[in-house]
Amino acid sequence: MTPAMRTGPGPSSGTPAPARLLRAVGQPLSSLPLAAAVRGAVALATPLLVGVLTGWVFPSVIAAIGALWAVGQDGSDPYPSRVGRFVALGLSASLGLAGGELALRSGPSAVVTVCLVVAALVAGAIGLRGRIWSVAGMHLLLGVTIGGGIPVPGPWWQAPIALFAGVSFVLVLSSAPWLWQRHHIERAALLAVFRAASTALAAAGTPGAAETRRHLTDALDNAHQTMDRHLTSSRRQPPDARVEPLLRAFRLAVRLGEAVTTLQWEARPLPAVVSRAPLVMSARLLPVRKDRAVVPVLPDFGPHSPGLHALAQLSVAADAERVDTALAAPASPRPTRQAHLRYAVLLALCVLAAQVCADLLHSPRAYWLPMTVAFVYKPDFGPVFRRALNRCVGTVVGAAAIGAVSTAVHGTHAIIGVVAFFGALMAVGVRHHYALATTGLTAVVFVLVDLLGDHRALYGARMLDTALAAALVLVVHFVAWPRSAVSRADSRTQAALAAAHRYQDLSPTVGPDRRHALRRAAYRQLADARRAAVHARREPVLRGAEPPDWERAITSAEELCDAVTARALHAAPGPAAQTTVTVASSDAM
C-alpha cells in the first residue's frame, strides 16, 4: 500500500502574492541570504563612491547599472556556473549598450527603434535555450534599451567598458569565496540530500511522507546539477583528491534515495535510529573535521525488511573507497523551434509597441517601457501573469519608497547609503520574491537616473509606464500564445510519464548503475512536470478551457516509480509495478 500523496500544486501555490511578499520580508535573519545582501550593498555603493572621489560620475553610474543587473543574477550555484553566467551577462549587455549608443548618436529615433526590435528578435530566439542564453538575451535587450534611451557623454566605447567593469566587480565579489571554500557549495548540496533523506524516513508511514519524498527528489536534483561538472570531468580522468569524497557521497546519496523510497513505500513508521542513519552517513562521508573517529557508529536496525537491509548496506558502504561516476545528469525536454520563433516575434512586437508608446509619452529618454517589457516577458522564468503583477507591485512600492526617502535624505554620501540599502533589499528579493527584488531595483534605478542628469519627478509616470508595459505583454502574450504554459506542462508531463514507463520497463533487465540513472531521470522529470503544472495553473485560462489534470497523472507516475523502486529491492510483489498512467494531451508547444 502506498502512502497518500498530495495532488495539489504545493503548499504555497494558493497563498496570495501580498501575503507571500510580507512573509518574504519578515523572514528570520537566520534564513536570509546575508552574504548576498552584503554583496548587493557593496556592489552598488562602491562604483558610486569611486565616481564621487574621482569625479567620473557618468562612468561610475554606468558601472553601477552593470552591477545592478549582475546582482539580479547572483545565485548560490557553483562558482564556475556563476562565472559563465556573469561573463555572458557582461558581454551581451555591453554589446547591447554599444549598439544602443551608436543608434542614439546616429540621429533619427527610427534607428533606435530598429535596433531595439532586432535586439528583441535575437533575445527571443536564444532566450529559451537555457539559463545562460536566457540571461544573455535579456541583457542584450536591456543594454540596447539603456544605450538608446539615455544619452551618455564621452566616447561611445567608454560606457560599455564601464558596464562590463560593474558586472565584473560583482563576479569577483560572488566568486571570491572559491579561494578558501573551494567545494563549499557542492558539500552543502550533498548535506541537504542527507538531511532530506532523514526527514523522509522520519515521515514514513504518515500522510506527509509523499511530500518529504518530493523534497528529497528536489535535493537530489540540486545536488546532481551541482555535481554534474565533476561527474563529467571524472569520466575523462581520475578525480582530484578533494573531489573524490564528494563523488563518493553523491553516489551513496543516489542509492540512499532508492532505499528511502522503498521504506516509504512499505508505509510503516520507522524507529528513530533509522531516520538518523542518513545523518550518520553524511558525518562519515563529509566530516567537519578530518578525525573520523568521533563519528558515531550506526547501531543495528533490528529485524530487516528489504528496505532496511538496503539502508544497512549503505551505512557500511559509507566507508568504502570505490567511486562510481557513471550516472549522468537527467535532461529536461526543451522548447520546440516553433516556440523559439513565436517567442522571438512576440517579444519584438511587445518591444516595438512599448517603444512607440514611449516615444509618444516621454521622448527623449524613452527607455522605461521597453526596459519593463524586457524584464517582464520571460516565460522561462515563471508565469508571465504573476511576473507582470509582481513587477507592478514592486515598482509602485519602490517608487513610493524612494520618493519618501528622497525628501528626507540629502547629500551625496547619504544617497549612496540609500542605494546600498536598496541593493541589499534587491539581493534578498532575488532569492525570495520577485516583487521584493523589483522594489529594490526600482529605487536604485531612480537614484542612478537622477545622477545621470534626469531630475524630473517621474514617480507617477513610471508607475503608469510599468502598468502599460505589463498590459502590453499580457495582451500580446495571451492573445497570440494563450496556451504556452499549458503546452509546456503538457509536454513535460508526457516526457515524465515516458520516463516513468521507461524506468518500469527496463529496471528488471539492467544493472544497478543503469537502474539508478533511469530512476533519477524519471523522478527529475516528474518534478519538472509538477512545477510546470503549477506554473500553468497560475496563468489565466479562458472559460470552458480547463487544462488537463496533470497532477493526478504525475502522482500516479510517482506511485508507479515508487513501486518499481521497491520491487527492485524485493520490497514489492511483481504486479505492483504494472500500473499505467496517461494524461489528456493539449496542442503541442
Side-chain angles (χ1 to χ4, degrees), residues 37 40 47 53 64 66 115 152 161 164 175 178 190 240 255 297 304 309 327 337 407 437 501-502 515 518 573 583:
L53 294 175
C115 188
V152 179
I161 291 177
F164 191 83
S175 302
W178 178 83
L190 290 167
D240 184 88
R255 295 169 58 192
V297 178
H304 285 183
H309 178 69
L327 199 60
R337 181 176 299 179
T407 61
H501 286 299
R502 188 163 55 250
R515 187 180 75 239
L518 290 167
V583 64

Side-chain angles (χ1 to χ4, degrees), residues 218-525:
D218 291 339
L220 271 170
D221 289 344
N222 181 57
H224 212 156
Q225 290 180 338
T226 302
M227 291 294 298
D228 187 50
R229 180 176 62 93
H230 301 299
L231 292 167
T232 302
S233 63
S234 64
R235 296 187 195 106
R236 297 191 297 265
Q237 58 187 12
D240 184 88
R242 292 170 296 185
V243 175
E244 189 171 355
L246 299 173
L247 292 171
R248 185 163 55 249
F250 173 74
R251 178 62 184 175
L252 192 107
V254 172
R255 295 169 58 192
L256 178 63
E258 185 176 57
V260 170
T261 300
T262 301
L263 286 167
Q264 283 201 342
W265 186 90
E266 292 173 1
R268 60 186 178 88
L270 299 169
V273 66
V274 175
S275 63
R276 289 198 301 269
L279 303 180
V280 175
M281 293 178 199
S282 66
R284 291 180 181 176
L285 289 159
L286 303 167
V288 177
R289 295 179 295 179
K290 294 184 179 180
D291 182 12
R292 298 168 72 106
V294 299
V295 177
V297 178
L298 199 65
D300 183 56
F301 293 152
H304 285 183
S305 70
L308 283 175
H309 178 69
L311 190 63
Q313 285 184 319
L314 290 179
S315 68
V316 174
D319 287 321
E321 293 301 321
R322 175 173 174 265
V323 178
D324 192 335
T325 58
L327 199 60
S332 299
R334 296 289 187 185
T336 62
R337 181 176 299 179
Q338 180 184 6
H340 288 288
L341 178 61
R342 185 179 295 188
Y343 174 52
V345 171
L346 293 183
L347 179 60
L349 182 61
C350 289
V351 167
L352 176 60
Q355 181 67 7
V356 170
C357 292
D359 283 339
L360 294 175
L361 294 174
H362 299 301
S363 184
R365 300 203 176 203
Y367 55 86
W368 197 274
L369 275 152
M371 181 182 72
T372 302
V373 168
F375 277 119
V376 169
Y377 201 10
K378 293 295 296 174
D380 55 317
F381 282 8
V384 175
F385 178 79
R386 182 158 296 195
R387 191 171 176 85
L389 178 62
N390 287 332
R391 188 81 194 177
C392 291
V393 171
T395 300
V396 170
V397 176
I402 196 62
V405 169
S406 63
T407 61
V409 174
H410 303 283
T412 304
H413 292 89
I415 291 296
I416 292 175
V418 170
V419 169
F421 170 78
F422 282 106
L425 182 67
M426 177 184 171
V428 173
V430 165
R431 290 157 178 78
H432 287 287
H433 201 286
Y434 183 59
L436 191 62
T438 302
T439 298
L441 181 142
T442 300
V444 172
V445 168
F446 269 102
V447 174
L448 297 182
V449 168
D450 184 74
L451 292 174
L452 285 174
D454 191 351
H455 305 301
R456 295 174 294 170
L458 293 174
Y459 301 110
R462 294 317 187 195
M463 294 180 193
L464 294 176
D465 285 350
T466 301
L468 178 57
L472 281 173
V473 168
L474 293 179
V475 169
V476 170
H477 179 69
F478 287 110
V479 168
W481 204 6
R483 297 181 60 81
S484 62
V486 171
S487 298
R488 189 180 305 112
D490 261 352
S491 64
R492 298 213 167 183
T493 301
Q494 296 293 347
L497 299 186
H501 286 299
R502 188 163 55 250
Y503 175 42
Q504 174 194 19
D505 295 339
L506 298 180
S507 179
T509 63
V510 298
D513 293 336
R514 178 61 174 157
R515 187 180 75 239
H516 292 319
L518 290 167
R519 180 175 60 82
R520 286 288 304 115
Y523 281 119
R524 165 70 179 275
Q525 293 199 33

